[in-house]
Amino acid sequence: MNRALAQAVDIGDDELVSLAEACRLFFGGRLSPSSLRTEAAKGNLVITQIARKDFVTRRDVEEMKEKCRK
């Protein structure tokens, strides 16, 4: 198992991770933080902002995937 996947397994459904971490852990680096911000602007992803830093949870990402499914 690769390191990113191993770390993703350890992250709870409601644990906040940065957008960069989410891209690496949940998408294998195939998306950028900008891509996630675009999905948030379209209403597909909930982003939590704390001290001007953006975070998402595994649950937020899974819900986004369902909304984006065609």
Side-chain angles (χ1 to χ4, degrees):
M1 183 181 316
N2 71 29
R3 185 175 174 197
L5 182 57
Q7 289 176 335
V9 170
D10 293 338
I11 294 180
D13 288 346
D14 296 314
E15 185 175 340
L16 291 172
V17 297
S18 70
L19 296 186
E21 289 174 310
C23 290
R24 184 174 46 82
L25 295 172
F26 306 134
F27 297 100
R30 293 182 304 267
L31 290 181
S32 67
S34 177
S35 299
L36 295 181
R37 287 188 186 94
T38 297
E39 289 305 317
K42 293 188 326 187
N44 292 329
L45 178 64
V46 174
I47 289 180
T48 301
Q49 191 173 66
I50 301 172
R52 297 189 337 189
K53 306 284 189 224
D54 294 333
F55 300 91
V56 294
T57 65
R58 179 189 298 271
R59 188 180 317 274
D60 295 332
V61 171
E62 292 302 322
E63 289 174 4
M64 178 198 72
K65 288 178 183 179
E66 287 299 317
K67 290 177 182 178
C68 292
R69 196 163 295 204
K70 291 185 178 189

